[in-house]
Amino acid sequence: MTDLTTDTDPNPGLFGELADLGRILRTVRSGRRILWLIGGLVAVIAVTAAAQILLNAWNQPFYDALTRKDFPAFVVQLGVFAVLAGGLLALNVGQLWLDQTLKLTLRRGIFTALLHDWMRPGAALRLSRAGRIGENPDQRLQADVDGLADLSVALGVGLFQAGLLLFSFVGVLWHHSDGLSVSILGRAVEIPGFMVWCALFMPGSRPDWWRVGRPLVAMSAERAAREADFRFEIVRVSEAAEAITLDRGERVEARRIKAAFGRLVEVIHGVIRATVGLTWVTAGSGWFNTVAPILAAAPFYFSTDMTIGELMLVVGAFNQVQGALRWFINNFAGIANWRAILHRVISFHRALRELSQGDCAARPDRIRRDPAEGGIEIEGLSILTPYVSVRLGEDPIRLAPGERLLLKGTSGSGKTILFRTLAGLWDRGAGRIAMPQAGAVMYLPTRAYVPPGRLIDVLGYPHSAAHFPRPEVEAALQTVGLGHLMASLDVDEHWEKLLSESEKHCVSFARVILNRPQWLVMDDTLPQLDPDARDRIVTLLRGPLAHLGLIDIGNGGTPQGVFTRTVEILAGEGVAL
């Protein structure tokens, strides 16, 4: 299997990851809808910016009317304000709807694309063996995708608004700074756009402040990984609560959970320290900026005929420019978090793509897998793992349709890895395996998988309930000895918690009856059944399923007469891979 032990693509770069995100969205149905929503947001934000310019200009006549104590003009300006405020309210509501809808659509698009790649045949298993990148896919698909969609829209809208307001109000501020002069050594010196330059070089608005919060990017990525590990430990203990209670392992599990939480707390402490340093910059300059525009305009107000209305207009424009310039530093924590999440999502997508491409390549240290018409062929098979190497006592092995083979091995001889190899889940080693197409072979592992849902859907898995006539489903259930569950066919439950291990395997054999495969490959399955169930299944294999080709990998404890051939499993030393 491909080894992707880290969570880092070498030098992917922000623009490379954004390009990957764009390619992901182009592959989903919602891509066009996302473009329409972005266009709608741009239009609404542009109209809102124009309305805010009008609202800022409204300051001058309103405050001038107050200064003159001109009541009729005051009432007129209140009417103007009502119109502007009503329009802005409608725009804000429309922007909120577009914003939330875009977040949901973006999340659905990214999730759909990643889920499609993750659920390709064998992809989830290959990823789980690919090292660090394969840990906690639930975090990538749920929390990371949600965070990426939410922050992408929030930060994108904020950045566009800040840029639009900056260019809009710089012009307003420049225009109302025209003609203002300062006295230097007794001479009046006019500085074009003086208030603009004050806004641009005010502490906290300079772009070099990003260095203060830069460590937050790496810390946010590490925090997300530790949160996922912590949640995994809790979920694992919750799922294994019964076994832990039986073994009285609560103290051990508590230590594991505390250790995972301790690693998370350590990272959070670093995030807190970095955030505190960033807050010194943002909050400190924020308090100064409360009075900064008035301080900058004060010399002109006291030395010229500038009115209160003009002063408030200039202060309003100054604050808009300052707010736009400070957007980056005010949102740096969010940007750091977004950057970390983007990297995690794109790394996940790239890992899935690399695994898919890697499996298509023929490699000399891999077992070759070929399609077969009806029978099964195993030739020159040598399976390599770090713990055991596996060969077969007969080579080559050729099985005709309907033939039955027992691959017999002792405990520790590699029976399970042999089963996984025949099923295509392990390919390290040498040799060749030719198997019929996937639908013609069913694989029964030592632990039967029973998904949640209606029992009738469980029996038809992976097909829907409609795939098999209900009478056939009922007959299969009766045949494997689960007739007492007939009344529960339409009950939606977590059946893996309600059924015994023997009953779970009986459900698997019911699937065999319904799917009618040509071959059945088992990993020591029959010994997992209780005696009565084993007798029923053996009778089934000798009777209605007598045509079925069969390979069982076990220790030879199966009833006599089920298999026509026996081949020994030969175990050797493990090999470093």
Side-chain angles (χ1 to χ4, degrees):
M1 300 296 169
T2 304
D3 182 23
L4 301 170
T5 55
T6 69
D7 197 14
T8 307
D9 195 334
N11 301 317
L14 174 60
F15 293 108
E17 290 178 347
L18 288 174
D20 267 10
L21 181 61
R23 282 190 287 269
I24 290 173
L25 294 175
R26 282 200 298 271
T27 64
V28 296
R29 292 182 180 179
S30 54
R32 183 170 296 181
R33 178 176 170 81
I34 290 171
L35 292 178
W36 278 107
L37 289 169
I38 291 174
L41 268 174
V42 168
V44 168
I45 292 171
V47 176
T48 301
Q52 286 177 318
I53 292 173
L54 294 175
L55 184 63
N56 186 70
W58 167 86
N59 279 307
Q60 181 174 352
F62 178 73
Y63 283 102
D64 284 344
L66 286 175
T67 303
R68 298 192 309 268
K69 298 185 179 181
D70 187 344
F71 183 73
F74 171 76
V75 173
V76 169
Q77 291 307 314
L78 284 179
V80 173
F81 174 79
V83 172
L84 290 173
L88 281 169
L89 175 61
L91 289 168
N92 288 340
V93 171
Q95 181 176 331
L96 176 65
W97 182 86
L98 289 167
D99 180 276
Q100 296 299 314
T101 304
L102 178 58
K103 287 177 181 177
L104 178 59
T105 307
L106 189 61
R107 179 182 181 181
R108 183 166 56 189
I110 298 171
F111 169 77
T112 300
L114 292 181
L115 181 65
H116 177 266
D117 288 340
W118 188 49
M119 285 291 101
R120 290 180 187 273
L125 179 66
R126 291 193 294 272
L127 186 70
S128 69
R129 298 172 177 172
R132 181 74 179 273
I133 191 67
E135 295 176 359
N136 306 311
D138 56 299
Q139 168 87 1
R140 316 277 182 152
L141 291 168
Q142 188 267 322
D144 286 350
V145 171
D146 181 30
L148 179 60
D150 189 79
L151 287 172
S152 294
V153 175
L155 294 174
V157 168
L159 180 59
F160 180 71
Q161 282 181 316
L164 197 59
L165 290 174
L166 175 64
F167 288 108
S168 300
F169 282 97
V170 158
V172 174
L173 199 57
W174 187 282
H175 173 73
H176 287 278
S177 298
D178 193 32
L180 300 180
S181 60
V182 294
S183 178
I184 300 177
L185 299 177
R187 296 182 58 187
V189 178
E190 184 173 324
I191 303 177
F194 175 77
M195 294 294 290
V196 174
W197 302 116
C198 287
L200 290 176
F201 292 101
M202 194 66 66
S205 63
R206 300 193 307 272
D208 58 328
W209 284 115
W210 71 273
R211 300 178 188 275
V212 178
R214 186 178 184 182
L216 276 172
V217 175
M219 289 181 184
S220 296
E222 184 64 17
R223 177 176 180 174
R226 297 287 74 78
E227 290 277 12
D229 291 342
F230 176 52
R231 185 175 65 248
F232 171 78
E233 289 295 335
I234 295 174
V235 172
R236 181 186 60 79
V237 170
S238 176
E239 291 178 345
E242 183 176 317
I244 292 169
T245 301
L246 291 173
D247 292 335
R248 298 183 180 182
E250 288 87 353
R251 288 187 179 181
V252 176
E253 299 301 339
R255 285 198 295 270
R256 288 177 61 92
I257 292 174
K258 284 181 180 179
F261 184 66
R263 291 189 290 271
L264 171 61
V265 168
E266 184 179 349
V267 174
I268 292 177
H269 276 309
V271 172
I272 291 173
R273 288 191 293 269
T275 304
V276 167
L278 187 62
T279 304
W280 275 108
V281 175
T282 58
S285 59
W287 282 109
F288 175 74
N289 287 338
T290 303
V291 296
I294 296 178
L295 291 176
F300 309 113
Y301 176 75
F302 289 110
S303 62
T304 66
D305 58 353
M306 177 184 282
T307 66
I308 286 288
E310 289 177 305
L311 177 63
M312 297 310 295
L313 185 148
V314 169
V315 167
F318 186 96
N319 285 333
Q320 292 283 8
V321 172
Q322 264 285 290
L325 289 171
R326 284 170 48 82
W327 178 88
F328 184 79
I329 195 67
N330 286 340
N331 290 278
F332 194 89
I335 294 171
N337 194 24
W338 170 81
R339 182 69 182 87
I341 293 174
L342 174 66
H343 180 67
R344 283 175 57 81
V345 170
I346 297 303
S347 296
F348 186 69
H349 170 67
R350 289 186 173 190
L352 290 170
R353 187 176 58 187
E354 182 178 336
L355 286 168
S356 176
Q357 292 171 348
D359 276 8
C360 296
R363 290 165 293 188
D365 61 340
R366 298 299 191 266
I367 298 166
R368 201 175 95 196
R369 197 171 182 87
D370 296 328
E373 288 299 325
I376 292 177
E377 296 181 14
I378 304 172
E379 186 175 357
L381 182 64
S382 175
I383 305 169
L384 303 179
T385 79
Y387 315 105
V388 65
S389 60
V390 180
R391 293 183 299 107
L392 298 177
E394 181 181 324
D395 185 53
I397 296 174
R398 292 184 174 85
L399 300 177
E403 196 169 354
R404 297 186 168 186
L405 170 68
L406 171 65
L407 297 175
K408 183 179 176 182
T410 59
S411 178
S413 61
K415 295 191 298 294
T416 297
I417 197 65
L418 175 57
F419 172 79
R420 291 175 179 171
T421 303
L422 294 178
L425 305 182
W426 183 265
D427 64 354
R428 297 300 294 269
R432 170 180 169 269
I433 298 174
M435 299 284 279
Q437 59 184 353
V441 186
M442 286 188 67
Y443 299 91
L444 301 188
T446 305
R447 296 187 61 185
Y449 173 64
V450 179
R454 295 188 307 157
L455 183 57
I456 192 169
D457 293 320
V458 171
L459 290 165
Y461 184 84
H463 304 291
S464 67
H467 190 79
F468 303 104
R470 190 180 183 96
E472 288 188 17
V473 176
E474 294 175 349
L477 198 63
Q478 192 73 44
T479 301
V480 297
L482 299 179
H484 60 283
L485 296 176
M486 201 77 71
S488 303
L489 277 173
D490 295 309
V491 176
D492 192 327
E493 273 288 0
H494 287 272
W495 292 101
E496 76 282 0
K497 296 180 180 179
L498 300 178
L499 300 178
S500 68
E501 290 302 315
S502 178
E503 288 174 325
K504 292 176 187 177
H505 283 289
C506 288
V507 167
S508 297
F509 279 102
R511 291 184 194 144
V512 173
I513 295 172
L514 292 171
N515 283 278
R516 300 186 181 94
Q518 298 173 19
W519 288 90
L520 185 62
V521 180
M522 303 187 298
D523 182 13
D524 213 15
T525 303
L526 295 179
Q528 312 305 318
L529 300 166
D530 61 43
D532 289 341
R534 187 184 310 127
D535 290 342
R536 277 192 298 271
I537 298 304
V538 169
T539 301
L540 178 67
L541 292 173
R542 289 171 174 165
L545 297 181
H547 67 283
L548 191 66
L550 187 63
I551 296 179
D552 186 28
I553 303 168
N555 57 13
T558 52
Q560 296 294 322
V562 176
F563 302 99
T564 56
R565 295 172 60 185
T566 299
V567 173
E568 295 290 333
I569 300 172
L570 307 178
E573 295 290 332
V575 178
L577 301 179

